[in-house]
Amino acid sequence: MQKGIIGKKIGMTQIFDEAGKFIPVTVVEAGPCVVVQKKTVENDGYNAVQLGFGDIRAKRVNKPLQGHFKKADVALKRTLKEFRLDDIDALNVGDIVKADTFAEGDIVDVSGTSKGKGFAGTIKRHNFARLKESHGTGPVHRHAGSMGACSSPSRIFKGKGMPGQMGNAKVTIQNLEVVKVDAENNLIAIKGAIPGPKNGTVTVVDCVKKA
């Protein structure tokens, strides 16, 4: 991975390419991010840079974290994330990373926290089919159904689809295309949908495996 940035999901819209083809895009306010810390193989066992994004008031930052920012001589930031870059020599503490890190046509992976759906049943959570709503089905037409065999194996196998918490988890969408970059306003238009609600924090990095 050579490039990475923290951003905020603005929302979805559509743009048209030169041929007049309509492209659905998600707009991300990418940066500006500041380099808060560098980690090296010699000191930490791996190469990485820690980026900070989004200003925050001092009263909302605890003292150890305030000392961390003071040591780097940078402003307090709301979000801190590490990016394991192959080559970190080009970046130093205090440098600013902006949206123009990426260019049109780049293929990226976008990670974010998906919208929380609360406690959900198997139909909503796992796309199970419901039973008939007539002919003696009774009040169980949205229930999960049989859980497994009886005396053998006398248990439910791991991975069985069950009701439970849905959403509010880290989700990564791979191989998305950067359609447009507005360096002046720190905006990146990414083809397709990305995880999370509007104003949710996301990370954009070079794709790990190109399709």
Side-chain angles (χ1 to χ4, degrees), residues 190-202:
I190 299 172
K191 184 177 180 180
I194 65 174
K198 290 180 182 177
N199 297 321
T201 301
V202 296

Side-chain angles (χ1 to χ4, degrees), residues 130-141:
R130 62 166 176 79
L131 299 177
K132 293 186 297 183
E133 292 185 351
S134 61
H135 296 286
T137 301
V140 295
H141 56 277

Side-chain angles (χ1 to χ4, degrees), residues 2-210:
Q2 295 292 341
K3 296 180 288 188
I5 200 168
I6 311 170
K8 181 172 71 173
K9 179 179 175 179
I10 303 297
M12 290 197 72
T13 184
Q14 60 192 37
I15 60 177
F16 295 88
D17 62 11
E18 292 147 4
K21 185 180 177 183
F22 132 84
I23 304 172
V25 297
T26 304
V27 180
V28 176
E29 182 186 336
C33 298
V34 61
V35 179
V36 180
Q37 186 182 15
K38 281 179 71 172
K39 296 196 172 182
T40 60
V41 174
E42 295 77 20
N43 295 332
D44 306 283
Y46 62 98
N47 285 331
V49 291
Q50 186 185 70
L51 299 183
F53 172 72
D55 295 327
I56 189 173
R57 290 180 291 171
K59 64 180 288 186
R60 295 193 174 276
V61 182
N62 60 31
K63 287 187 177 181
L65 207 50
Q66 285 190 28
H68 181 63
F69 287 111
K70 187 175 181 181
K71 181 180 178 182
D73 194 24
V74 298
L76 303 178
K77 297 296 178 182
R78 183 180 299 275
T79 304
L80 286 175
K81 288 189 182 294
E82 275 190 13
F83 295 87
R84 293 202 180 194
L85 306 180
D86 299 328
D87 182 17
I88 62 172
D89 295 334
L91 293 172
N92 296 304
V93 173
D95 287 354
I96 303 296
V97 179
K98 296 184 178 180
D100 55 9
T101 302
F102 293 92
E104 294 181 17
D106 285 354
I107 305 299
V108 297
D109 296 341
V110 182
S111 300
T113 302
S114 61
K115 293 181 181 179
K117 308 290 185 181
F119 189 95
T122 54
I123 292 178
K124 181 175 180 179
R125 193 180 186 210
H126 298 296
N127 297 317
F128 280 18
R130 62 166 176 79
L131 299 177
K132 293 186 297 183
E133 292 185 351
S134 61
H135 296 286
T137 301
V140 295
H141 56 277
R142 289 182 67 91
H143 285 202
S146 174
M147 288 294 135
C150 49
S151 60
S152 175
S154 300
R155 64 190 176 89
I156 297 174
F157 288 112
K158 288 183 179 179
K160 168 69 177 173
M162 303 279 274
Q165 164 69 34
M166 181 180 177
N168 193 31
K170 182 181 178 182
V171 177
T172 300
I173 307 294
Q174 296 182 326
N175 294 316
L176 298 177
E177 181 185 353
V178 175
V179 177
K180 193 171 184 179
V181 176
D182 183 353
E184 186 178 343
N185 296 306
N186 280 308
L187 298 177
I188 296 177
I190 299 172
K191 184 177 180 180
I194 65 174
K198 290 180 182 177
N199 297 321
T201 301
V202 296
T203 58
V204 183
V205 300
D206 279 338
C207 70
V208 176
K209 44 188 180 184
K210 193 172 288 188

